[in-house]
Amino acid sequence: MTNRPANLPTHLQHHIGGKAVDSIGGETFEVIDPVTNEPYATAAAGQQADVDAAVAAATLAFEEGPWPRMKARERARILMRIADVVASRDAELAQYESFDSGLPITQAKGQAQRAAENFRFFADLIVAQRDDAYKVPGQQLNYVNRKPKGVAGLITPWNTPFMLESWKLAPALASGCTVVLKPAEFTPLSASLWAGIFAEAGLPDGVFNLVHGIGEDAGDALVKHPDVPLISFTGESSTGQLIFRNCAEHLKAMSMELGGKSPAVVFADADLDAAIDSTLFGVFSLNGERCTAGSRILVERAVYDEFVERYAERAKRIVVGDPSDPRTEVGALVHPEHYDKVMSYVEIGRGEGRLVAGGGRPEGLDTGNYVAPTVFADVPPTARIFQEEIFGPVVGITPFDSDEEALTLANDTRYGLAAYVWTNDLTRAHTFAQSIEAGMVWLNSHNVRDLRSPFGGVKASGLGHEGGYRSLDFYSDQQAVHITLGDVHTARFGAH
Protein backbone atom coordinates (compact mmCIF):
# COMPACT_ATOMS: atom_id res chain seq x y z
CA MET A 1 0.00 0.00 0.00
CA THR A 2 1.39 3.38 -0.97
CA ASN A 3 2.09 6.05 1.63
CA ARG A 4 -0.54 8.76 1.26
CA PRO A 5 0.91 12.26 1.73
CA ALA A 6 -0.37 14.30 4.65
CA ASN A 7 -3.04 16.90 3.85
CA LEU A 8 -3.94 15.17 0.58
CA PRO A 9 -6.90 17.05 -0.94
CA THR A 10 -10.01 15.16 -1.95
CA HIS A 11 -11.13 17.73 -4.52
CA LEU A 12 -9.07 19.92 -6.87
CA GLN A 13 -10.48 23.19 -8.16
CA HIS A 14 -9.56 25.57 -10.94
CA HIS A 15 -7.82 28.82 -10.04
CA ILE A 16 -9.24 31.75 -11.97
CA GLY A 17 -8.72 35.44 -11.24
CA GLY A 18 -7.19 34.75 -7.84
CA LYS A 19 -10.00 32.45 -6.66
CA ALA A 20 -10.42 28.68 -6.35
CA VAL A 21 -13.54 27.74 -8.29
CA ASP A 22 -15.34 24.67 -9.58
CA SER A 23 -16.42 24.25 -13.18
CA ILE A 24 -19.31 26.50 -14.10
CA GLY A 25 -21.34 23.46 -15.14
CA GLY A 26 -20.22 21.38 -12.15
CA GLU A 27 -18.32 18.81 -14.24
CA THR A 28 -15.65 16.70 -12.49
CA PHE A 29 -13.37 13.75 -13.19
CA GLU A 30 -11.74 11.20 -10.92
CA VAL A 31 -8.01 11.21 -10.14
CA ILE A 32 -6.37 7.87 -9.33
CA ASP A 33 -3.04 6.97 -7.79
CA PRO A 34 -0.84 4.62 -9.86
CA VAL A 35 -0.11 2.13 -7.10
CA THR A 36 -3.67 1.12 -6.23
CA ASN A 37 -5.42 2.54 -9.32
CA GLU A 38 -8.12 3.68 -6.89
CA PRO A 39 -9.57 7.21 -7.01
CA TYR A 40 -8.25 9.46 -4.27
CA ALA A 41 -9.78 12.76 -5.41
CA THR A 42 -12.07 14.45 -7.86
CA ALA A 43 -11.01 17.41 -9.96
CA ALA A 44 -13.02 20.11 -11.64
CA ALA A 45 -13.30 19.26 -15.34
CA GLY A 46 -12.85 22.44 -17.35
CA GLN A 47 -15.11 23.16 -20.31
CA GLN A 48 -15.30 26.00 -22.82
CA ALA A 49 -16.98 28.31 -20.29
CA ASP A 50 -14.25 27.74 -17.71
CA VAL A 51 -11.47 28.40 -20.22
CA ASP A 52 -13.33 31.56 -21.32
CA ALA A 53 -13.41 32.75 -17.70
CA ALA A 54 -9.69 32.00 -17.20
CA VAL A 55 -8.71 33.78 -20.41
CA ALA A 56 -10.87 36.76 -19.46
CA ALA A 57 -9.13 36.98 -16.07
CA ALA A 58 -5.69 36.68 -17.68
CA THR A 59 -6.59 39.28 -20.32
CA LEU A 60 -7.77 41.74 -17.66
CA ALA A 61 -4.55 41.24 -15.69
CA PHE A 62 -2.50 41.77 -18.84
CA GLU A 63 -4.34 44.85 -20.10
CA GLU A 64 -4.98 46.64 -16.80
CA GLY A 65 -2.82 44.99 -14.15
CA PRO A 66 0.70 45.86 -13.01
CA TRP A 67 2.53 42.70 -14.10
CA PRO A 68 3.47 43.51 -17.73
CA ARG A 69 4.38 47.07 -16.72
CA MET A 70 6.74 46.20 -13.88
CA LYS A 71 10.44 46.85 -14.22
CA ALA A 72 12.46 43.70 -14.83
CA ARG A 73 13.98 43.87 -11.35
CA GLU A 74 10.53 44.02 -9.71
CA ARG A 75 9.33 40.95 -11.60
CA ALA A 76 12.62 39.21 -10.85
CA ARG A 77 12.17 39.74 -7.10
CA ILE A 78 8.82 37.96 -7.21
CA LEU A 79 10.26 35.15 -9.32
CA MET A 80 13.03 34.72 -6.75
CA ARG A 81 10.45 34.55 -3.96
CA ILE A 82 8.58 31.89 -5.95
CA ALA A 83 11.83 29.90 -6.21
CA ASP A 84 12.41 30.20 -2.47
CA VAL A 85 8.90 28.98 -1.64
CA VAL A 86 9.20 26.02 -4.05
CA ALA A 87 12.60 25.06 -2.64
CA SER A 88 11.32 25.29 0.94
CA ARG A 89 8.48 22.90 0.10
CA ASP A 90 10.55 20.32 -1.75
CA ALA A 91 9.63 17.45 0.60
CA GLU A 92 5.88 18.10 0.28
CA LEU A 93 6.12 18.61 -3.49
CA ALA A 94 8.11 15.41 -3.90
CA GLN A 95 5.56 13.43 -1.90
CA TYR A 96 2.68 14.81 -3.98
CA GLU A 97 4.52 14.24 -7.25
CA SER A 98 5.54 10.70 -6.34
CA PHE A 99 2.06 9.79 -5.12
CA ASP A 100 0.30 11.27 -8.16
CA SER A 101 2.65 10.17 -10.95
CA GLY A 102 4.32 7.01 -9.59
CA LEU A 103 7.82 8.51 -9.79
CA PRO A 104 10.29 7.16 -7.24
CA ILE A 105 10.47 9.56 -4.31
CA THR A 106 14.23 10.10 -4.64
CA GLN A 107 13.79 11.25 -8.26
CA ALA A 108 10.76 13.38 -7.42
CA LYS A 109 12.82 15.35 -4.87
CA GLY A 110 15.21 16.46 -7.57
CA GLN A 111 12.31 17.74 -9.68
CA ALA A 112 11.22 20.24 -7.02
CA GLN A 113 14.71 21.73 -6.79
CA ARG A 114 14.95 21.93 -10.58
CA ALA A 115 11.61 23.77 -10.65
CA ALA A 116 12.98 26.33 -8.20
CA GLU A 117 16.12 26.73 -10.30
CA ASN A 118 14.01 27.46 -13.40
CA PHE A 119 12.51 30.49 -11.66
CA ARG A 120 15.89 31.69 -10.37
CA PHE A 121 17.41 31.34 -13.81
CA PHE A 122 14.77 33.43 -15.60
CA ALA A 123 14.75 36.00 -12.80
CA ASP A 124 18.47 36.50 -13.45
CA LEU A 125 18.00 36.49 -17.21
CA ILE A 126 15.42 39.28 -17.42
CA VAL A 127 17.57 41.55 -15.27
CA ALA A 128 20.64 40.89 -17.42
CA GLN A 129 18.79 40.95 -20.74
CA ARG A 130 19.72 43.51 -23.36
CA ASP A 131 18.26 44.18 -26.77
CA ASP A 132 19.89 45.21 -30.01
CA ALA A 133 20.50 48.70 -31.33
CA TYR A 134 21.90 49.52 -34.78
CA LYS A 135 23.37 52.83 -35.91
CA VAL A 136 23.95 54.36 -39.29
CA PRO A 137 26.12 57.33 -38.21
CA GLY A 138 24.44 60.66 -38.85
CA GLN A 139 21.49 59.09 -40.56
CA GLN A 140 19.53 56.56 -38.51
CA LEU A 141 19.23 54.73 -35.20
CA ASN A 142 17.32 51.46 -34.96
CA TYR A 143 16.53 49.71 -31.71
CA VAL A 144 14.47 46.72 -30.57
CA ASN A 145 11.56 47.31 -28.22
CA ARG A 146 10.67 44.03 -26.50
CA LYS A 147 7.19 43.58 -25.04
CA PRO A 148 5.19 40.60 -23.73
CA LYS A 149 2.85 38.96 -26.22
CA GLY A 150 -0.20 38.61 -23.99
CA VAL A 151 -2.04 35.62 -22.54
CA ALA A 152 0.09 32.48 -22.84
CA GLY A 153 -1.67 29.11 -23.09
CA LEU A 154 0.48 26.46 -21.40
CA ILE A 155 -0.35 22.77 -21.85
CA THR A 156 1.85 20.40 -19.87
CA PRO A 157 2.36 16.62 -19.73
CA TRP A 158 2.01 14.08 -16.93
CA ASN A 159 5.67 13.06 -16.68
CA THR A 160 7.54 15.15 -14.09
CA PRO A 161 4.57 17.54 -14.22
CA PHE A 162 5.58 20.14 -11.61
CA MET A 163 9.06 20.65 -13.05
CA LEU A 164 7.81 20.83 -16.63
CA GLU A 165 5.12 23.33 -15.59
CA SER A 166 7.86 25.50 -14.08
CA TRP A 167 9.78 25.26 -17.35
CA LYS A 168 6.95 27.15 -19.08
CA LEU A 169 5.62 29.27 -16.22
CA ALA A 170 8.99 30.82 -15.36
CA PRO A 171 9.86 32.33 -18.77
CA ALA A 172 6.23 33.25 -19.54
CA LEU A 173 5.91 35.18 -16.27
CA ALA A 174 9.43 36.61 -16.53
CA SER A 175 8.54 38.05 -19.94
CA GLY A 176 5.50 39.85 -18.49
CA CYS A 177 2.86 37.56 -19.95
CA THR A 178 -0.15 36.37 -18.02
CA VAL A 179 -0.94 32.67 -18.26
CA VAL A 180 -3.59 29.98 -18.38
CA LEU A 181 -2.15 26.58 -17.44
CA LYS A 182 -3.88 23.35 -18.45
CA PRO A 183 -2.05 20.49 -16.69
CA ALA A 184 -2.36 16.85 -17.73
CA GLU A 185 -5.49 15.18 -16.41
CA PHE A 186 -3.55 12.11 -15.20
CA THR A 187 -1.49 14.23 -12.77
CA PRO A 188 -3.34 17.36 -11.58
CA LEU A 189 -2.19 17.20 -7.95
CA SER A 190 1.09 19.12 -7.91
CA ALA A 191 -0.25 21.73 -10.37
CA SER A 192 -2.87 22.62 -7.76
CA LEU A 193 -0.07 23.86 -5.47
CA TRP A 194 1.03 26.68 -7.79
CA ALA A 195 -1.76 29.07 -6.80
CA GLY A 196 -0.73 29.05 -3.13
CA ILE A 197 2.95 29.35 -4.02
CA PHE A 198 2.33 32.34 -6.28
CA ALA A 199 0.06 34.05 -3.76
CA GLU A 200 2.69 33.65 -1.03
CA ALA A 201 5.32 35.15 -3.32
CA GLY A 202 3.17 38.18 -4.18
CA LEU A 203 2.18 37.48 -7.78
CA PRO A 204 -0.82 39.71 -8.61
CA ASP A 205 -4.22 38.03 -8.97
CA GLY A 206 -5.18 37.06 -12.51
CA VAL A 207 -1.59 36.71 -13.75
CA PHE A 208 -1.73 32.93 -13.14
CA ASN A 209 -4.84 30.93 -13.97
CA LEU A 210 -5.27 27.16 -13.83
CA VAL A 211 -7.92 25.08 -15.56
CA HIS A 212 -7.97 21.33 -14.93
CA GLY A 213 -9.63 19.03 -17.43
CA ILE A 214 -9.51 16.58 -20.28
CA GLY A 215 -7.40 17.57 -23.26
CA GLU A 216 -10.26 17.23 -25.75
CA ASP A 217 -12.32 19.72 -23.71
CA ALA A 218 -10.19 22.17 -21.73
CA GLY A 219 -7.03 21.87 -23.83
CA ASP A 220 -8.93 22.17 -27.09
CA ALA A 221 -10.80 25.26 -25.88
CA LEU A 222 -7.55 26.92 -24.80
CA VAL A 223 -5.83 26.21 -28.14
CA LYS A 224 -8.76 27.58 -30.15
CA HIS A 225 -9.40 30.66 -27.99
CA PRO A 226 -9.06 33.84 -30.07
CA ASP A 227 -7.63 35.85 -27.13
CA VAL A 228 -4.70 33.47 -26.51
CA PRO A 229 -1.96 34.49 -28.98
CA LEU A 230 0.54 31.76 -28.14
CA ILE A 231 0.53 28.10 -27.13
CA SER A 232 3.39 26.20 -25.52
CA PHE A 233 2.80 22.46 -25.53
CA THR A 234 4.78 19.47 -24.35
CA GLY A 235 3.40 16.06 -25.22
CA GLU A 236 3.25 13.43 -27.89
CA SER A 237 3.54 14.13 -31.59
CA SER A 238 0.03 13.28 -32.81
CA THR A 239 -1.49 15.67 -30.26
CA GLY A 240 1.03 18.26 -31.40
CA GLN A 241 -0.17 17.86 -34.99
CA LEU A 242 -3.77 18.44 -33.88
CA ILE A 243 -2.78 21.54 -31.91
CA PHE A 244 -0.81 22.81 -34.92
CA ARG A 245 -3.93 22.54 -37.08
CA ASN A 246 -6.11 24.22 -34.47
CA CYS A 247 -3.66 27.11 -34.00
CA ALA A 248 -3.73 27.86 -37.72
CA GLU A 249 -7.05 29.75 -37.76
CA HIS A 250 -5.68 32.49 -35.49
CA LEU A 251 -2.05 32.19 -36.66
CA LYS A 252 -0.89 31.61 -33.09
CA ALA A 253 2.72 31.42 -32.05
CA MET A 254 3.60 27.84 -31.14
CA SER A 255 6.35 26.12 -29.21
CA MET A 256 6.11 22.36 -29.19
CA GLU A 257 8.33 19.78 -27.56
CA LEU A 258 7.01 16.46 -28.80
CA GLY A 259 7.90 12.77 -28.78
CA GLY A 260 11.23 11.09 -29.10
CA LYS A 261 12.92 7.81 -29.96
CA SER A 262 16.40 8.91 -29.11
CA PRO A 263 19.46 6.81 -30.03
CA ALA A 264 22.38 6.11 -27.72
CA VAL A 265 25.32 5.14 -29.95
CA VAL A 266 28.09 3.16 -28.23
CA PHE A 267 31.34 2.73 -30.16
CA ALA A 268 33.87 0.01 -29.32
CA ASP A 269 36.40 2.53 -28.03
CA ALA A 270 33.95 3.97 -25.46
CA ASP A 271 34.31 3.70 -21.70
CA LEU A 272 31.96 0.73 -21.48
CA ASP A 273 31.39 0.98 -17.73
CA ALA A 274 30.33 4.62 -18.01
CA ALA A 275 28.21 3.92 -21.10
CA ILE A 276 26.33 1.11 -19.37
CA ASP A 277 25.70 3.23 -16.27
CA SER A 278 24.48 6.13 -18.36
CA THR A 279 22.31 4.23 -20.83
CA LEU A 280 20.63 2.33 -17.98
CA PHE A 281 19.87 5.59 -16.21
CA GLY A 282 18.89 7.27 -19.49
CA VAL A 283 16.00 4.91 -20.18
CA PHE A 284 14.95 3.57 -16.76
CA SER A 285 15.04 6.75 -14.65
CA LEU A 286 11.69 8.51 -14.30
CA ASN A 287 10.13 5.08 -15.01
CA GLY A 288 11.18 5.44 -18.65
CA GLU A 289 8.49 8.11 -19.00
CA ARG A 290 10.78 10.78 -20.41
CA CYS A 291 10.83 12.40 -23.82
CA THR A 292 14.63 12.33 -24.07
CA ALA A 293 15.01 8.67 -23.05
CA GLY A 294 17.75 6.85 -24.96
CA SER A 295 15.35 4.08 -25.89
CA ARG A 296 17.36 2.77 -28.88
CA ILE A 297 20.87 1.66 -27.98
CA LEU A 298 23.13 1.11 -31.00
CA VAL A 299 26.30 -0.81 -30.14
CA GLU A 300 29.36 -1.52 -32.30
CA ARG A 301 29.68 -5.23 -33.11
CA ALA A 302 33.07 -5.70 -31.42
CA VAL A 303 31.60 -4.99 -27.97
CA TYR A 304 27.97 -5.87 -28.69
CA ASP A 305 27.75 -9.25 -26.96
CA GLU A 306 29.54 -8.02 -23.86
CA PHE A 307 27.38 -4.90 -23.71
CA VAL A 308 24.11 -6.83 -24.04
CA GLU A 309 25.09 -9.34 -21.38
CA ARG A 310 26.20 -6.75 -18.86
CA TYR A 311 23.30 -4.40 -19.61
CA ALA A 312 20.67 -7.14 -19.22
CA GLU A 313 22.21 -8.34 -15.96
CA ARG A 314 22.07 -4.85 -14.50
CA ALA A 315 18.50 -4.28 -15.75
CA LYS A 316 17.37 -7.44 -13.94
CA ARG A 317 18.69 -6.03 -10.66
CA ILE A 318 16.92 -2.66 -10.88
CA VAL A 319 14.69 -2.24 -7.84
CA VAL A 320 11.03 -1.91 -8.84
CA GLY A 321 8.58 -1.06 -6.11
CA ASP A 322 6.51 1.40 -4.13
CA PRO A 323 7.33 4.93 -5.32
CA SER A 324 7.46 6.17 -1.72
CA ASP A 325 10.27 3.75 -0.80
CA PRO A 326 13.70 5.48 -1.06
CA ARG A 327 15.22 2.21 -2.33
CA THR A 328 12.93 2.15 -5.38
CA GLU A 329 14.60 2.88 -8.73
CA VAL A 330 11.56 2.27 -10.99
CA GLY A 331 8.09 2.99 -9.64
CA ALA A 332 4.59 2.58 -11.04
CA LEU A 333 3.60 3.87 -14.48
CA VAL A 334 1.29 6.85 -14.33
CA HIS A 335 -2.07 5.32 -15.28
CA PRO A 336 -3.61 1.96 -16.25
CA GLU A 337 -4.22 3.23 -19.80
CA HIS A 338 -0.52 3.93 -20.18
CA TYR A 339 0.41 0.64 -18.49
CA ASP A 340 -1.70 -1.22 -21.07
CA LYS A 341 0.04 0.67 -23.90
CA VAL A 342 3.53 -0.13 -22.61
CA MET A 343 2.66 -3.79 -22.03
CA SER A 344 1.27 -4.04 -25.55
CA TYR A 345 4.69 -2.95 -26.85
CA VAL A 346 6.38 -5.55 -24.65
CA GLU A 347 4.24 -8.21 -26.34
CA ILE A 348 5.02 -6.76 -29.79
CA GLY A 349 8.72 -6.80 -28.91
CA ARG A 350 8.67 -10.53 -28.17
CA GLY A 351 8.11 -11.09 -31.88
CA GLU A 352 10.65 -8.50 -33.00
CA GLY A 353 13.73 -8.93 -30.82
CA ARG A 354 15.39 -11.25 -28.31
CA LEU A 355 14.08 -10.69 -24.79
CA VAL A 356 17.05 -10.60 -22.40
CA ALA A 357 15.51 -8.94 -19.32
CA GLY A 358 12.07 -8.20 -17.91
CA GLY A 359 9.08 -8.70 -20.15
CA GLY A 360 6.19 -8.46 -17.72
CA ARG A 361 4.99 -7.57 -14.25
CA PRO A 362 7.64 -7.92 -11.51
CA GLU A 363 7.15 -10.70 -8.99
CA GLY A 364 5.36 -9.72 -5.82
CA LEU A 365 3.72 -6.62 -7.34
CA ASP A 366 0.32 -7.97 -8.26
CA THR A 367 -1.53 -4.63 -8.38
CA GLY A 368 -0.57 -1.21 -9.68
CA ASN A 369 1.02 -0.17 -12.95
CA TYR A 370 4.36 -1.94 -12.54
CA VAL A 371 6.49 -3.06 -15.50
CA ALA A 372 9.80 -4.85 -14.99
CA PRO A 373 12.68 -3.08 -16.78
CA THR A 374 12.58 -4.77 -20.18
CA VAL A 375 15.48 -5.20 -22.61
CA PHE A 376 15.29 -6.55 -26.16
CA ALA A 377 18.46 -7.34 -28.12
CA ASP A 378 18.98 -7.86 -31.87
CA VAL A 379 16.19 -5.40 -32.70
CA PRO A 380 15.97 -4.70 -36.46
CA PRO A 381 15.35 -1.11 -37.62
CA THR A 382 12.03 -2.16 -39.17
CA ALA A 383 10.67 -3.24 -35.77
CA ARG A 384 7.89 -1.22 -34.20
CA ILE A 385 9.80 -1.14 -30.91
CA PHE A 386 12.68 0.50 -32.85
CA GLN A 387 10.48 3.04 -34.62
CA GLU A 388 7.68 3.97 -32.18
CA GLU A 389 7.80 5.84 -28.88
CA ILE A 390 6.92 3.49 -26.01
CA PHE A 391 7.47 5.93 -23.12
CA GLY A 392 8.15 3.30 -20.51
CA PRO A 393 10.92 1.11 -19.06
CA VAL A 394 11.54 -0.73 -22.36
CA VAL A 395 14.69 -0.53 -24.49
CA GLY A 396 15.93 -2.11 -27.70
CA ILE A 397 19.58 -2.84 -28.50
CA THR A 398 20.81 -3.08 -32.10
CA PRO A 399 24.32 -3.87 -33.44
CA PHE A 400 26.20 -1.92 -36.11
CA ASP A 401 29.44 -2.53 -38.04
CA SER A 402 30.56 0.92 -39.23
CA ASP A 403 30.20 4.63 -38.51
CA GLU A 404 28.09 4.98 -41.64
CA GLU A 405 25.69 2.23 -40.56
CA ALA A 406 25.46 3.70 -37.06
CA LEU A 407 24.50 7.08 -38.47
CA THR A 408 21.90 5.55 -40.79
CA LEU A 409 20.36 3.64 -37.87
CA ALA A 410 20.46 6.68 -35.59
CA ASN A 411 18.56 8.80 -38.12
CA ASP A 412 16.13 6.07 -39.19
CA THR A 413 13.04 7.26 -37.29
CA ARG A 414 10.52 10.07 -37.69
CA TYR A 415 11.75 11.57 -34.41
CA GLY A 416 14.71 13.83 -33.73
CA LEU A 417 14.73 15.06 -30.14
CA ALA A 418 17.93 13.86 -28.47
CA ALA A 419 20.91 11.60 -29.14
CA TYR A 420 23.77 10.24 -27.06
CA VAL A 421 27.18 9.28 -28.45
CA TRP A 422 29.80 7.24 -26.60
CA THR A 423 33.32 7.30 -28.01
CA ASN A 424 36.80 8.42 -26.98
CA ASP A 425 37.68 9.50 -30.53
CA LEU A 426 37.38 13.29 -30.47
CA THR A 427 37.08 13.75 -34.23
CA ARG A 428 34.46 11.02 -34.55
CA ALA A 429 32.52 12.43 -31.60
CA HIS A 430 32.08 15.85 -33.18
CA THR A 431 31.59 14.81 -36.80
CA PHE A 432 29.11 12.09 -35.82
CA ALA A 433 27.21 14.35 -33.42
CA GLN A 434 26.83 17.06 -36.04
CA SER A 435 25.44 14.55 -38.57
CA ILE A 436 22.73 13.19 -36.28
CA GLU A 437 19.22 14.49 -36.94
CA ALA A 438 18.48 15.58 -33.38
CA GLY A 439 17.88 18.88 -31.64
CA MET A 440 20.25 17.94 -28.82
CA VAL A 441 23.27 15.64 -28.64
CA TRP A 442 25.17 14.54 -25.55
CA LEU A 443 28.72 13.19 -25.91
CA ASN A 444 29.78 10.66 -23.27
CA SER A 445 26.95 11.72 -20.98
CA HIS A 446 23.29 11.21 -20.30
CA ASN A 447 20.87 14.15 -20.27
CA VAL A 448 22.67 16.86 -18.27
CA ARG A 449 21.50 20.26 -19.43
CA ASP A 450 22.62 23.84 -19.00
CA LEU A 451 19.52 26.06 -18.78
CA ARG A 452 21.14 28.60 -21.12
CA SER A 453 21.24 26.14 -24.02
CA PRO A 454 18.42 25.57 -26.52
CA PHE A 455 15.99 22.73 -25.87
CA GLY A 456 13.93 21.33 -28.72
CA GLY A 457 13.75 18.76 -31.47
CA VAL A 458 13.63 18.37 -35.22
CA LYS A 459 11.40 16.27 -37.49
CA ALA A 460 8.41 14.90 -35.51
CA SER A 461 9.97 15.86 -32.18
CA GLY A 462 9.12 19.50 -32.09
CA LEU A 463 8.65 22.97 -33.41
CA GLY A 464 10.83 25.80 -32.12
CA HIS A 465 13.27 25.90 -29.24
CA GLU A 466 13.02 27.00 -25.65
CA GLY A 467 15.72 27.54 -23.07
CA GLY A 468 17.62 30.70 -22.16
CA TYR A 469 16.96 33.74 -24.33
CA ARG A 470 15.03 31.59 -26.82
CA SER A 471 12.28 31.18 -24.23
CA LEU A 472 12.09 34.93 -23.66
CA ASP A 473 11.99 35.46 -27.43
CA PHE A 474 8.99 33.13 -27.69
CA TYR A 475 6.95 34.95 -25.04
CA SER A 476 7.88 38.40 -26.36
CA ASP A 477 7.25 40.50 -29.43
CA GLN A 478 10.34 42.26 -30.73
CA GLN A 479 9.37 45.54 -32.32
CA ALA A 480 11.89 47.35 -34.46
CA VAL A 481 11.83 51.13 -33.93
CA HIS A 482 13.58 53.31 -36.54
CA ILE A 483 14.61 56.91 -35.80
CA THR A 484 15.81 59.32 -38.46
CA LEU A 485 18.81 61.42 -37.41
CA GLY A 486 19.53 63.24 -40.67
CA ASP A 487 18.11 64.05 -44.05
CA VAL A 488 16.38 61.14 -45.76
CA HIS A 489 16.24 60.98 -49.53
CA THR A 490 12.64 60.43 -50.53
CA ALA A 491 11.39 60.17 -54.09
CA ARG A 492 8.89 63.07 -54.43
CA PHE A 493 5.87 61.40 -56.00
CA GLY A 494 3.40 63.86 -57.47
CA ALA A 495 5.74 66.85 -57.15
CA HIS A 496 6.20 67.37 -60.91
Side-chain angles (χ1 to χ4, degrees), residues 224-294:
K224 292 177 179 175
H225 202 290
D227 296 330
V228 178
L230 70 166
I231 296 290
S232 179
F233 169 74
T234 299
E236 54 99 26
S237 299
S238 61
T239 306
Q241 290 174 302
L242 178 63
I243 290 174
F244 196 122
R245 284 192 289 269
N246 288 336
C247 283
E249 182 179 354
H250 297 289
L251 297 174
K252 295 181 187 241
M254 289 176 289
S255 177
M256 296 194 183
E257 192 258 286
L258 306 176
K261 193 70 178 175
S262 301
V265 185
V266 181
F267 287 94
D269 68 338
D271 179 338
L272 218 54
D273 292 337
I276 288 170
D277 285 345
S278 185
T279 51
L280 281 160
F281 180 82
V283 77
F284 295 124
S285 60
L286 306 181
N287 299 346
E289 297 165 326
R290 58 188 305 162
C291 50
T292 54

Side-chain angles (χ1 to χ4, degrees), residues 263-279 281-282 298 307 419-430 432-433 436 440-449:
V265 185
V266 181
F267 287 94
D269 68 338
D271 179 338
L272 218 54
D273 292 337
I276 288 170
D277 285 345
S278 185
T279 51
F281 180 82
L298 313 176
F307 184 96
Y420 308 87
V421 180
W422 288 86
T423 178
N424 281 318
D425 182 326
L426 184 64
T427 301
R428 170 197 276 155
H430 287 288
F432 195 91
I436 289 179
M440 300 169 286
V441 182
W442 279 269
L443 299 176
N444 297 328
S445 168
H446 55 81
N447 180 344
V448 180
R449 185 173 161 262

Side-chain angles (χ1 to χ4, degrees), residues 48-68:
Q48 179 75 56
D50 306 298
V51 171
D52 288 346
V55 173
T59 301
L60 183 66
F62 185 78
E63 293 180 349
E64 300 182 16
W67 188 250

